[in-house]
Amino acid sequence: MGTALVYHEDMTATRLLWDDPACEIEGPERLTSALERLQQHGLEQRCLRLAAREASEAELGLVHSPEYVALLRGTQALGTRELQELSRQYDAVYFHPSTFHSARLAAGAALQLVDAVLTGTVRNGLALVRPPGHHSQRAAANGFCVFNNVAIAAKHAQQKHGLHRILIVDWDIHHGQGIQYIFEDDPSVLYFSWHRYEHGRFWPCLRESDVDAVGQGRGRGFTVNLPWNQVGMGNADYVAAFLHVLLPLAFEFDPELVLVSAGFDSAIGDPEGQMQATPECFAHLTQLLQVLAGGRVCAVLEGGYHLESLSQSVCMVVRALLGDPAPPLSGPMVLHYSALESIQRVRAAQAHHWVSLQQQGLASTLHPSTSCPEERALPLLPGGPEFKAAEAQASAALSSLLHQLCLQPTPPVRTAVALNEMDAALGLPPDVLHQVGSAPQEEAQAWARLHDVLVQDEAFTALGKVLYLLDGILDGQVSSGIAATPAPAVATTLDVAIRYSLSHRARRLLCVAVGQLDLSPDLANDGRSLWLNIGGKEVAALSTSHVSMPLPETTGGFLSCILALVLPIAYSFQPDLVLVAVGPAHGLQDPQAALLAALLRGPAGGRVLALVDQESTTQLAGVLAQVLHGEAPPSLGPFSVASPEDMQALVRLRGQLESQWQMLQRLLECSDLAA
Ligand code: Q9C
Ligand code: ZN
């Protein structure tokens, strides 16, 4: 199951024919430079290339009025003067004689992508299109958008493929008000948009872009707006928005398809967005969405006006769609106060509609303080000569950052397995490496003895393979791996693996242990390893780097544990490697283990080693190997509410840990945040 890339050269024909500073950023180079970068990185060649087709007028009619379609048809014959005249009827729009053709190709590309995914030709894909779509409305062009590509694709998925639940994620930096209007009373389409808002001062300056626009009638709760009230939002803010807002709702909604209004004006360097998120953040966002809907993710280009940032971000999305691990996020994972405030306001506004938001007690305990004098005001762009110098400097820094990004190598082997006789039965993807190598027996023995770890004889063979696999991961030869060891030796093997990793290049190590696995006391406090035990005996932050909690009883409880505790801590810690150990009697269902492993690929740039006991089911090993390789985890089954005990445990742990882990932070007093 591959990745489709839908494109047609004719979409580069449309361009601005007169002077209009508001529109000049939307030009053909947007597509050509993104495509060129994809080719340069060898990514285009790895996709199934599909030539975009034109959407039929009937298909356009799924969203647009016949009169509007006819009006657009008529533009093909107009001269420049008349086109300019007509453009003035709309806000931030220009027409070209080729607009009708391009816009039909753009909508058709989205349709083709959805068809390819829903018929099983590919798992996922990207449509590289222009003009963009999310501002366009039933009878109006708006904000460079002519036909609403994503909305048309969603209607088509409902009508032609019989889908009942579609999630639209709009990460463009503008509010896709067009999509919102089209689905505001439709509970079968969940629309999430974040957007630069600045309390209503940023275009399109709509009251209905704020958190309290939640949908109408039966659609109440199915429109989710997350307004950014300051510029400068970065990787931590975006990831937190996904973990604390989008994903809890998305899991509860349980979509059959995810459509992404993939605008990259939300990326660093973009003149419209003025945000700070780096291109690799879009690989992480994509990866986070791939755990939904069996991985059926269709991304459709919207905005994005800084050519280099746009192109790199597009590459990151395609890499993630292809299953490559996302590079680690750069920069400190610290949220802006204003972002936290927005996140909490949308959670509060949506709490009536979603049980997953009602439970954590967060919506009610998080009262945004009315003003925050200590707010780190981000420098708004000043004018004048100084600014020119600063701008030149910033742009040099940006190009060097964007340049470095493309130099980061991806390990030649994505997944290696060391599972002994199980291997053959797993039905793994063909490019998974079946590791035969092993560290010498003496080395394994030496490591065990050195640290006084008692390793049973029969476990030495397994330990040798684990150390060999760790070497591959730490040397950058292998991205992720899975190894088995006899059940009684899981804890000791893990112990040696931690020590080995810390003395071989791993500066920080996250260890997620499921089931009753005890940690050697001397490992707990060096600050370099962080130990999360799910399914431990007690609920406790035993130290700053040793957290234990019982296994939640329901899918809702499990999801909250992962999204509201494990991942925020993991992303804040920024480990070099994640060890996931599934001990004996772990109690975890296979789909839960798969989801955990899939999501833990994020924080350490895909470097994950999973350790299972040999007696555990072949299915568990197989499903772990598959998700580490980039495949979607199986569904968790129907959403069930977390038990009060589980939620209490979670709230208690968050309370104990939030002062230490930035991404766990709730709105505290301003003085606390400034500290
Ligand atoms: N004074 C997309 O990114 N700016 N559209 C208008 C009016 C329009 C952006 C400023 C920005 C449209 C798809
Ligand atoms: Zn935009």
Side-chain angles (χ1 to χ4, degrees):
M1 288 290 273
T3 297
L5 183 67
V6 194
Y7 177 73
H8 198 294
E9 203 185 298
D10 287 1
M11 287 184 285
T12 59
T14 305
R15 62 193 171 82
L16 182 62
L17 296 174
W18 52 85
D19 249 11
D20 181 352
C23 290
E24 68 196 8
I25 54 176
E26 204 293 294
E29 355 27 271
R30 296 180 58 237
L31 288 189
T32 47
S33 62
L35 198 67
E36 196 177 300
R37 261 287 182 281
L38 284 170
Q39 285 162 352
Q40 244 174 41
H41 291 220
L43 292 163
E44 186 227 27
Q45 299 83 329
R46 292 170 59 193
C47 294
L48 176 70
R49 285 285 320 255
L50 296 174
R53 65 166 174 95
E54 284 191 324
S56 68
E57 295 206 4
E59 288 164 335
L60 299 175
L62 291 168
V63 160
H64 299 284
S65 73
E67 298 76 21
Y68 178 66
V69 175
L71 178 83
L72 260 299
R73 193 192 313 122
T75 60
Q76 298 173 101
L78 299 183
T80 306
R81 274 281 99 84
E82 298 157 305
L83 288 167
Q84 189 172 7
E85 189 63 27
L86 184 63
S87 303
R88 269 202 280 272
Q89 316 253 310
Y90 302 103
D91 186 4
V93 169
Y94 69 89
F95 294 116
H96 180 274
S98 71
T99 290
F100 186 60
H101 178 50
S102 294
R104 282 179 67 178
L105 284 172
L111 291 170
Q112 235 176 337
L113 178 55
V114 162
D115 284 338
V117 167
L118 293 179
T119 56
T121 307
V122 289
R123 166 75 68 225
N124 57 32
L126 170 71
L128 273 184
V129 304
R130 61 186 285 275
H134 70 154
H135 297 303
S136 111
Q137 297 148 41
R138 181 169 161 79
N142 181 276
F144 316 151
C145 300
V146 177
F147 297 131
N148 202 313
N149 310 318
V150 166
I152 294 167
K155 291 268 191 194
H156 173 84
Q158 291 177 324
Q159 297 192 359
K160 286 279 144 52
H161 297 275
L163 296 201
H164 300 296
R165 290 179 313 281
I166 299 169
L167 169 64
I168 299 178
V169 178
D170 188 340
W171 72 43
D172 185 281
I173 207 57
H174 300 95
H175 182 213
Q177 85 278 35
I179 301 183
Q180 175 168 314
Y181 300 153
I182 292 159
F183 296 109
E184 63 192 348
D185 57 6
D186 184 348
S188 72
V189 175
L190 173 56
Y191 176 62
F192 169 90
S193 173
W194 67 34
H195 32 270
R196 178 172 171 190
Y197 191 55
E198 296 174 297
H199 303 283
R201 289 189 299 273
F202 187 70
W203 190 91
C205 311
L206 300 170
R207 182 64 196 79
E208 63 268 30
S209 305
D210 209 346
V211 295
D212 55 351
V214 297
Q216 312 266 0
R218 297 195 357 97
R220 286 182 66 79
F222 296 93
T223 293
V224 181
N225 283 326
L226 172 47
W228 300 123
N229 286 318
Q230 284 198 347
V231 296
M233 297 306 167
N235 297 345
D237 304 301
Y238 285 6
V239 170
F242 268 43
L243 297 182
H244 298 315
V245 182
L246 174 61
L247 290 175
L249 305 195
F251 274 108
E252 191 174 334
F253 181 66
D254 189 23
E256 301 159 299
L257 174 69
V258 179
L259 298 176
V260 185
S261 266
F264 298 96
D265 40 16
S266 45
I268 190 164
D270 191 279
E272 282 283 310
Q274 308 271 320
M275 297 298 175
Q276 298 282 346
T278 52
E280 69 274 14
C281 190
F282 294 91
H284 287 261
L285 301 181
T286 305
Q287 228 173 46
L288 288 169
L289 295 179
Q290 284 173 288
V291 300
L292 301 165
R296 286 182 288 275
V297 174
C298 297
V300 181
L301 183 66
E302 299 278 2
Y305 308 99
H306 184 290
L307 296 181
E308 191 52 32
S309 181
L310 163 71
S311 308
Q312 296 283 10
S313 302
V314 164
C315 288
M316 286 295 164
V317 169
V318 172
R319 280 176 59 165
L321 291 174
L322 286 164
D324 289 359
L329 287 171
S330 55
M333 289 300 280
V334 180
L335 273 80
H336 290 88
Y337 182 88
S338 167
L340 209 48
E341 194 167 51
S342 295
I343 286 172
Q344 282 165 8
R345 285 182 61 235
V346 61
R347 285 179 59 105
Q350 295 286 344
H352 306 290
H353 309 288
W354 301 95
V355 288
S356 46
L357 296 182
Q358 287 152 20
Q359 298 189 314
Q360 289 177 33
L362 291 179
S364 55
T365 58
L366 307 177
H367 288 300
S369 48
T370 42
S371 71
C372 182
E374 301 287 333
E375 177 67 272
R376 276 167 297 161
L378 285 143
L380 290 174
L381 292 178
E386 281 163 47
F387 167 58
K388 282 281 167 247
E391 189 188 45
Q393 222 173 50
S395 113
L398 177 60
S399 18
S400 110
L401 179 138
L402 292 172
H403 185 67
Q404 272 167 26
L405 207 60
C406 43
L407 298 179
Q408 283 180 10
T410 311
V413 175
R414 199 193 282 167
T415 313
V417 298
L419 295 170
N420 310 326
E421 62 283 357
M422 278 186 209
D423 288 22
L426 295 177
L428 294 176
D431 59 327
V432 164
L433 179 81
H434 293 263
Q435 179 191 296
V436 284
S438 172
Q441 278 276 322
E442 310 80 64
E443 192 185 354
Q445 268 161 4
W447 268 94
R449 256 186 243 113
L450 187 62
H451 299 284
D452 257 344
V453 179
L454 287 172
V455 177
Q456 299 84 340
D457 276 350
E458 76 275 20
F460 271 116
T461 325
L463 182 58
K465 290 188 174 188
V466 169
L467 297 186
Y468 188 84
L469 190 46
L470 270 174
D471 260 340
I473 294 175
L474 295 166
D475 287 349
Q477 294 303 306
V478 178
S479 184
S480 60
I482 170 162
T485 189
V490 174
T492 47
T493 306
L494 185 58
D495 190 301
V496 177
I498 294 172
R499 294 170 201 276
Y500 187 85
S501 308
L502 289 174
S503 63
H504 286 74
R505 297 208 206 179
R507 285 159 307 178
R508 285 184 304 280
L509 182 71
L510 170 64
C511 182
V512 179
V514 190
Q516 308 221 332
L517 289 166
D518 292 318
L519 167 72
S520 312
D522 66 305
L523 279 176
N525 280 314
D526 67 354
R528 293 176 61 204
S529 61
L530 172 60
W531 177 276
L532 302 180
N533 189 191
I534 304 171
K537 294 172 210 111
E538 50 205 332
V539 183
L542 299 163
S543 74
T544 52
S545 52
H546 186 181
V547 181
S548 160
M549 69 178 302
L551 184 67
E553 295 162 12
T554 64
T555 56
F558 180 76
L559 282 166
S560 296
C561 166
I562 303 303
L563 299 177
L565 190 76
V566 174
L567 287 176
I569 291 178
Y571 269 107
S572 304
F573 186 54
Q574 298 182 289
D576 298 307
L577 171 68
V578 178
L579 292 174
V580 185
V582 185
H586 54 81
L588 207 61
Q589 291 153 17
D590 289 353
Q592 295 179 329
L595 179 66
L596 179 65
L599 290 170
L600 284 171
R601 291 177 85 210
R607 285 183 295 274
V608 178
L609 173 65
L611 198 58
V612 296
D613 78 68
Q614 270 164 17
E615 286 77 48
S616 77
T617 63
T618 313
Q619 264 117 316
L620 176 64
V623 86
L624 285 177
Q626 276 168 3
V627 296
L628 289 181
H629 189 259
E631 276 168 50
S635 161
L636 289 184
F639 182 86
S640 56
V641 176
S643 72
E645 296 74 36
D646 287 342
M647 285 327 293
Q648 262 168 26
L650 193 61
V651 169
R652 218 168 87 205
L653 282 175
R654 285 182 59 105
Q656 284 177 32
L657 293 162
E658 69 185 357
S659 61
Q660 188 194 356
W661 300 109
Q662 284 290 345
M663 291 196 62
L664 280 181
Q665 230 148 46
R666 308 177 292 165
L667 272 187
L668 304 171
E669 299 308 315
C670 292
S671 50
D672 291 335
L673 273 171

